[in-house]
């Protein structure tokens, strides 16, 4: 059974920020994007600048995440 749990906006912001930085988004940019994502506004309420910033950061995150997964896979193959 899955339990529901509450995360404050501050906790969400920290989580988003940590993950963005972990996979290659600059610290300052990650902080701004984490704040935008954590506030939970619908996409229609975001400014064009906010949408662009979030899109860029998420693309950087995805690239870094894919790179990380490839490296992990490569290291596992080497170990085998």
């Amino acid at each position: 059974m899955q339990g529901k749990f509450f995360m404050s906006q501050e906790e969400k912001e920290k989580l988003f920020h940590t993950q963005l930085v972990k996979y290659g988004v600059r610290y300052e940019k990650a902080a701004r994007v984490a704040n935008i994502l954590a506030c939970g506004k619908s996409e229609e309420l975001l400014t064009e600048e906010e949408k662009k910033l979030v899109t860029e950061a998420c693309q950087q995150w995805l690239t870094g995440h894919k790179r990380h997964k490839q490296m992990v896979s490569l290291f596992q193959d080497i170990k085998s």
Side-chain angles (χ1 to χ4, degrees):
M1 182 172 135
Q2 286 183 323
K4 293 185 179 183
F5 63 95
F6 174 78
M7 282 183 75
S8 69
Q9 182 173 341
E10 183 180 342
E11 291 170 319
K12 288 178 189 177
E13 195 170 330
K14 286 179 184 178
L15 179 63
F16 285 129
H17 186 257
T18 300
Q19 289 300 307
L20 289 166
V21 171
K22 179 178 179 179
Y23 292 109
V25 179
R26 280 190 2 254
Y27 189 89
E28 297 81 14
K29 185 178 202 175
R32 291 175 55 204
V33 171
N35 180 271
I36 294 167
L37 294 173
C39 76
K41 283 198 281 186
S42 67
E43 189 174 341
E44 295 82 28
L45 298 177
L46 298 176
T47 66
E48 288 303 315
E49 181 183 347
E50 290 172 326
K51 288 179 188 178
K52 182 180 179 200
L53 188 64
V54 169
T55 300
E56 288 174 359
C58 289
Q59 287 173 342
Q60 289 175 334
W61 176 89
L62 183 58
T63 300
H65 188 261
K66 285 180 179 178
R67 184 180 309 122
H68 174 76
K69 283 176 59 176
Q70 289 173 338
M71 290 176 64
V72 168
S73 178
L74 178 64
F75 289 133
Q76 287 175 345
D77 290 344
I78 292 172
K79 282 183 170 180
S80 301

